[in-house]
């Protein structure tokens, strides 16, 4: 769905160390295929000169759009790899996992040429995050309009995935910014999924009157997508256990930091007895570091048809997930391209089913390597 419109101790620090950044080198650009024949190679490297790409979306102009954490937004030709810079946001603060992050286009881009992005900046007392809108004109983004500001941010756990719904509301994931108290605090925007009108105001039908909060109790959700059944789903980083897939329901509590994954310990059961908590529908222990999540409907790559596709950072793979009939559990997990491309940050799909991934290096915190966009042409037998 994103392709249609398109988040205190040594133990905690050690678990966080595995969760974000860079890539190796490869520089071949594929030639366009005028005859529409299947490419010879299963994968092709489109571009390999990026600086930590974070968001990758198929734009309404049939170009790939990418954000880089250093503040650059570019359009990339999906056949030649030619990169056109459309904006550098000068006041972006790139510190470890922070920087320029999520992006989404207005679904009616021809009449409303707006691009919404999230970035971190240096506030008076440390890092903060803001959601802004730019206007696209003459191959340039300009006219920055701040829609939501002073969102908690840090060098870790900033969430920042954006999604626009069919009824034209903007959803945004936020992380707990390394402060676990924020996720259960309804006066904080940290550790939440937020819902806004496209002008930045609060929708009158939000679950909590006068609040942007749509769901809460999140740690660091970095994937957000719709299933064709209308359900909303997210992928979320756990601490040293319980990376999650969640079915997101308006107004519900997802438990962090009191509940990790499912409610299966005495302390979690005690907390849940007084608070209605929604358990994850799938989880991973040990953690894998899940990032972007989309739902693939095309038959161009039949092995992935009607499955969630998720990019994975620490375990460096694409995971395909099959949802059950009523949307409440994952029935199958399949692993593809295991450790072939390094850490995988994001995934984008064209209207015809072409699949592109953005890589983030071979190890967390590696800022020296090059970073690639790779097209997946087919699954080799």
């Amino acid at each position: 769905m994103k392709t249609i419109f398109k988040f205190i101790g040594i133990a905690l620090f050690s678990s966080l160390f595995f969760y974000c950044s860079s890539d190796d080198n490869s520089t071949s650009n594929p030639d366009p295929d005028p005859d529409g024949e299947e490419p010879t190679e299963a994968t092709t490297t489109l571009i390999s000169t990026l600086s930590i790409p974070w968001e990758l979306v198929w734009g309404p102009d049939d170009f790939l759009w990418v954000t880089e954490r250093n503040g650059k937004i570019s359009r990339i030709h999906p056949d030649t790899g030619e990169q056109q810079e459309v904006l550098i946001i000068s006041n972006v603060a790139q510190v470890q996992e922070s920087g320029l992050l999520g992006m989404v286009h207005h679904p009616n881009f021809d009449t409303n040429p707006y691009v919404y992005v999230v970035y971190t900046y240096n506030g008076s007392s440390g890092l903060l995050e803001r959601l802004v809108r730019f206007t696209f004109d003459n191959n340039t983004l300009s006219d920055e309009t701040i829609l939501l500001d002073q969102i908690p941010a840090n060098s870790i756990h900033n969430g920042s995935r954006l999604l626009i719904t069919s009824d034209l509301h903007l959803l945004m994931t936020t992380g707990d910014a390394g402060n676990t108290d924020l996720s259960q605090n309804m006066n904080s925007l940290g550790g939440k999924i937020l819902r806004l009108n496209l002008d930045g105001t609060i929708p009158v039908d939000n679950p909590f009157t006068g609040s942007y909060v749509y769901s809460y109790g999140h740690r660091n959700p970095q994937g957000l997508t719709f299933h064709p059944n209308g359900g909303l789903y997210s992928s979320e980083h756990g601490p040293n256990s319980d990376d999650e897939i969640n079915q997101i329901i308006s107004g519900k509590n997802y438990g962090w930091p009191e509940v990790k994954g499912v409610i299966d310990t005495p302390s979690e059961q005690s907390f849940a007895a007084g608070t209605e908590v929604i358990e994850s529908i799938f989880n991973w222990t040990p953690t894998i570091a899940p990032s972007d999540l989309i739902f693939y409907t095309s038959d161009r790559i039949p092995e992935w048809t009607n499955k969630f596709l998720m990019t994975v950072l620490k375990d460096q793979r694409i995971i395909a997930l099959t949802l059950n009939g009523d949307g409440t559990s994952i029935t199958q997990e399949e692993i593809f391209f295991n450790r072939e491309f390094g850490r995988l940050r994001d995934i984008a799909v064209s209207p015809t089913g072409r699949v592109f991934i953005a890589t983030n290096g071979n190890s967390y915190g590696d800022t020296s390597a090059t970073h690639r966009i790779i097209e997946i042409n087919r699954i080799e037998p």
Side-chain angles (χ1 to χ4, degrees):
M1 184 61 77
K2 140 182 160 175
T3 60
I4 300 175
F5 305 141
K6 12 173 204 78
F7 81 84
I8 292 179
I10 296 174
L12 176 59
F13 178 82
S14 64
S15 68
L16 292 168
F17 184 76
F18 293 95
Y19 280 80
C20 249
S21 202
S22 95
D23 189 41
D24 56 1
N25 50 21
S26 176
T27 55
S28 62
N29 285 340
D31 293 325
D33 182 7
D35 297 323
E37 296 177 358
E38 184 176 292
T40 303
E41 301 297 327
T43 66
T44 48
T45 297
L46 186 63
I47 186 172
S48 60
T49 55
L50 300 177
S51 175
I52 314 182
W54 202 90
E55 185 78 73
L56 180 67
V57 298
W58 185 274
D61 55 356
D62 290 329
F63 276 68
L64 286 163
W65 287 60
V66 62
T67 66
E68 297 172 70
R69 290 222 307 259
N70 61 9
K72 181 189 291 187
I73 303 175
S74 301
R75 300 165 68 238
I76 297 175
H77 194 288
D79 298 319
T80 67
E82 179 183 0
Q83 182 179 18
Q84 177 190 73
E85 177 187 303
V86 295
L87 178 67
I88 292 181
I89 304 175
S90 59
N91 61 330
V92 163
Q94 181 187 357
V95 184
Q96 200 168 324
E97 297 175 18
S98 68
L100 175 57
L101 303 171
M103 174 176 60
V104 70
H105 295 78
H106 194 289
N108 302 318
F109 196 70
D110 287 343
T111 55
N112 298 286
Y114 300 139
V115 178
Y116 303 82
V117 300
V118 175
Y119 65 86
T120 57
Y121 66 97
N122 286 311
S124 58
S125 58
L127 285 173
L128 290 170
E129 187 170 78
R130 62 171 50 128
L131 168 65
V132 302
R133 184 190 72 201
F134 290 100
T135 300
F136 185 63
D137 182 52
N138 196 27
N139 294 327
T140 302
L141 289 175
S142 61
D143 190 25
E144 180 177 7
T145 302
I146 298 175
L147 301 181
L148 188 59
D149 205 352
Q150 299 188 41
I151 302 164
N154 205 330
S155 59
I156 57 172
H157 299 189
N158 296 302
S160 302
R161 194 67 64 188
L162 298 176
L163 182 67
I164 295 180
T165 67
S166 59
D167 61 353
L168 300 184
H169 290 98
L170 180 61
L171 297 172
M172 173 183 173
T173 72
T174 67
D176 67 8
N179 181 351
T180 59
D181 292 338
L182 299 184
S183 298
Q184 295 293 322
N185 181 354
M186 297 301 289
N187 294 316
S188 172
L189 298 178
K192 310 292 191 300
I193 293 177
L194 310 177
R195 182 172 180 260
L196 305 82
N197 293 318
L198 294 185
D199 62 2
T201 57
I202 299 172
V204 295
D205 58 345
N206 267 10
F208 305 102
T209 302
S211 173
Y212 290 106
V213 175
Y214 188 73
S215 65
Y216 64 107
H218 298 287
R219 183 176 183 268
N220 190 20
Q222 290 192 348
L224 192 66
T225 194
F226 279 104
H227 187 276
N229 67 14
L232 178 65
Y233 295 84
S234 75
S235 55
E236 181 165 344
H237 291 260
N240 54 4
S241 67
D242 296 290
D243 283 342
E244 300 177 347
I245 298 294
N246 286 305
Q247 182 182 18
I248 302 302
I249 301 171
S250 173
K252 298 303 183 181
N253 183 358
Y254 288 80
W256 176 257
E258 306 298 336
V259 174
K260 297 179 284 293
V262 297
I263 303 167
D264 58 359
T265 70
S267 63
E268 291 175 335
Q269 291 164 359
S270 176
F271 177 79
T275 304
E276 183 183 358
V277 175
I278 303 298
E279 298 178 304
S280 63
I281 65 170
F282 201 78
N283 58 281
W284 290 266
T285 299
T287 56
I288 60 171
S291 190
D292 192 26
L293 183 72
I294 61 101
F295 192 82
Y296 190 74
T297 58
S298 174
D299 59 3
R300 186 184 183 101
I301 302 179
E303 294 91 340
W304 289 347
T305 303
N306 294 327
K307 297 175 183 178
F308 288 112
L309 300 179
M310 185 175 73
T311 49
V312 174
L313 293 160
K314 188 173 73 173
D315 278 18
Q316 304 181 8
R317 59 187 57 166
I318 295 174
I319 294 179
L321 299 166
T322 302
L323 192 68
N324 71 344
D326 63 5
T328 58
S329 67
I330 300 296
T331 60
Q332 184 180 25
E333 174 189 11
E334 301 167 89
I335 295 171
F336 296 90
F337 300 101
N338 187 39
R339 300 191 180 276
E340 291 189 31
F341 308 119
R343 296 159 60 81
L344 304 184
R345 167 62 65 185
D346 206 33
I347 186 166
V349 180
S350 79
T352 60
R354 296 174 68 181
V355 177
F356 300 84
I357 56 174
T359 71
N360 265 189
N362 292 312
S363 62
Y364 177 79
D366 176 10
T367 59
S368 62
T370 57
H371 302 257
R372 294 179 285 170
I373 294 176
I374 297 170
E375 181 171 7
I376 308 297
N377 301 313
R378 66 177 185 272
I379 306 299
E380 290 186 322

